[in-house]
Amino acid sequence: MAKVLIVDGELDRGAALAAALGLAGVHPTVVMSTRAALPSLEASAVDAILLAVTTVDPVAARLADLRGHPVGAVTPVIAVADHDQPGALAAAVATGYDDVLVRPLRPAEVGARLRLQVSARRKLAEAMEIAARVRAECEEVRAARKLDAALTEYLIHDLRSPIAAVAMYLQELLATPETAPVAHTLQACLAATDTIGRMVMNHLDVAAGGPRPVAAVACDLAAALAAAAAHFAPRCDARGVTLVRRLAAPQVWADPELLRRIIENLLDNALRYAPAGTAIEVESTSAGPRTVLAVTDRGPGVPAADRARVFEHAVQLDPPPGCRGGRGLGLAFCKMATEAHGGGIQIDDAAGGGARIEAWFPVCEAPLW
């Protein structure tokens, strides 16, 4: 049975309304003013409030009194007016009452409308409670993910020092004459260490939203690619893959360190998918205001629907049989780094099969800062 508070300055009229509501299956309580109604709101739960209004009543002020109470703020407030008081009805509708009833009242209709209001408000309260719980759970998940990301970043950041130390020790061993018989193995270990270091830097840059600010100069592409070829030589030799370089544009305006990492990530990606015994082609061309660096492999290629996704953070496509998938960081870094230069990157089908990734850089006459 719904509990209804009737606020009516005429006690007899309020009592008559209470009697009619009792016949409609409603439990009414009658008070004579909004001030008197507030203790009733404090004392017990109320499902709805019926507030008698007239042309001389301060309609908005009386509603504000009820809405200012914590219970009244979430309880349906229904105006009750006589049929010959159109001014009071218009004021009640304009003020924001939840519903308006007009005397003479029919108990069955009043009971039905009250139950609809009470049911709707209860469902709203339940929905708000569920939404609050969902928000709290989402905040907990976000906080946990933020903590996990922070711990991961700290761990990866701390990995840089031991990786650098291992690389230094390997370089010292390579420079020692006694290690000549195992130089090839040491070189492979050094290349693997450099790969781990590149992955660490990729993660840190992608997590930070991009690499450090760009300081572009004229870079010698032949020298940069020669260094990259030497770096990847152990992996290429192990699979019988050759690097073919065709450099129609010998220079590119880029940050030397970022260019080195872009080249290494593109070659690393190509080596993951290039079939054994094939060639990876590296080309540079001038195309108007751009210098284009393209890397082509003869692997399975990338479906058209996935070509934009491969440059997103942590996106990993299912590798074809015989291919080793990455972690979704290398190409995401390349996208960030080329865009930081004012350039871009894209992937297409290669003529003759495979994938062709083109990274382009703007042609400049002065360093970019």
Side-chain angles (χ1 to χ4, degrees), residues 77-153:
V77 180
I78 301 171
V80 181
D82 292 329
H83 72 280
D84 59 353
Q85 297 176 325
L89 289 173
V93 171
T95 301
Y97 284 79
D98 294 286
D99 199 357
V100 177
L101 298 174
V102 181
R103 295 189 183 91
L105 303 175
R106 294 190 292 272
E109 178 188 354
V110 174
R113 290 171 68 175
L114 278 173
R115 281 188 286 273
L116 283 174
Q117 285 286 346
V118 171
S119 175
R121 191 56 66 103
R122 285 176 177 170
K123 289 179 180 178
L124 176 60
E126 291 172 359
M128 293 176 65
E129 182 180 352
I130 292 172
R133 288 202 303 268
V134 171
R135 282 195 298 270
E137 291 172 1
C138 288
E139 286 299 324
E140 291 178 2
V141 171
R142 277 194 289 268
R145 287 181 175 176
K146 186 176 181 180
L147 177 60
D148 181 65
L151 291 175
T152 301
E153 186 170 349

Side-chain angles (χ1 to χ4, degrees), residues 112-198:
R113 290 171 68 175
L114 278 173
R115 281 188 286 273
L116 283 174
Q117 285 286 346
V118 171
S119 175
R121 191 56 66 103
R122 285 176 177 170
K123 289 179 180 178
L124 176 60
E126 291 172 359
M128 293 176 65
E129 182 180 352
I130 292 172
R133 288 202 303 268
V134 171
R135 282 195 298 270
E137 291 172 1
C138 288
E139 286 299 324
E140 291 178 2
V141 171
R142 277 194 289 268
R145 287 181 175 176
K146 186 176 181 180
L147 177 60
D148 181 65
L151 291 175
T152 301
E153 186 170 349
Y154 291 144
L155 173 62
I156 292 176
H157 185 275
D158 290 343
L159 281 174
R160 291 191 300 175
S161 293
I163 290 171
V166 171
M168 182 184 68
Y169 296 145
L170 288 171
Q171 289 169 346
E172 290 180 355
L173 286 172
L174 279 170
T176 303
E178 290 80 1
T179 62
V182 292
H184 184 78
T185 301
L186 290 175
Q187 188 66 52
C189 292
L190 182 59
T193 304
D194 289 342
T195 298
I196 296 171
R198 184 174 65 255

Side-chain angles (χ1 to χ4, degrees), residues 269 302-318 327-333 335 345-347:
N269 181 79
V302 178
D306 295 323
R307 289 175 189 170
R309 293 179 58 240
V310 296
F311 297 107
E312 296 176 7
H313 179 201
V315 170
Q316 303 175 50
L317 303 183
D318 292 333
R327 293 287 178 241
L329 291 173
L331 293 183
F333 166 80
K335 182 176 186 295
I345 192 168
Q346 67 183 29
I347 186 168

Side-chain angles (χ1 to χ4, degrees), residues 212-217 219 252-260 341 361:
R212 58 178 173 74
V214 172
V217 296
C219 295
V252 61
W253 282 90
D255 182 298
E257 174 61 17
L258 294 181
L259 177 64
R260 178 186 68 81
H341 284 82
F361 303 81

